[in-house]
Amino acid sequence: CECFREGETMLYIDPDDCIDCAACIPECPTSAIYYEGDVPQKWNEYIELNRKMSKVLPPILERKPRG
């Protein structure tokens, strides 16, 4: 999926490129991916952060080994 972007401390999801397939939800090692309407209120700030950062970081185009 080309909706993921890699920052220095976390991955970001471009909400404009995401097709809401949910394939990434069970794959997230920190259980930190939600449908936008299901984001816990204490993490709502990450919705805008994802939107902002996904516009300035390049998409991840190759799978990296889990480490």
Side-chain angles (χ1 to χ4, degrees):
C1 175
E2 295 180 14
C3 64
F4 285 94
R5 311 293 193 263
E6 185 172 12
E8 289 185 28
T9 60
M10 64 181 268
L11 296 181
Y12 300 89
I13 299 174
D14 185 334
D16 295 328
D17 286 344
C18 177
I19 60 170
D20 293 328
C21 69
C24 58
I25 293 173
E27 296 298 320
C28 180
T30 61
S31 300
I33 300 176
Y34 301 87
Y35 286 111
E36 189 169 338
D38 295 337
V39 175
Q41 187 170 0
K42 66 181 179 179
W43 295 327
N44 275 348
E45 66 190 71
Y46 287 97
I47 295 171
E48 185 56 34
L49 182 62
N50 270 287
R51 188 175 307 283
K52 177 182 173 186
M53 295 304 295
S54 67
K55 299 306 178 202
V56 297
L57 296 169
I60 297 172
L61 301 175
E62 294 182 16
R63 180 182 292 260
K64 294 183 179 187
R66 287 188 178 200

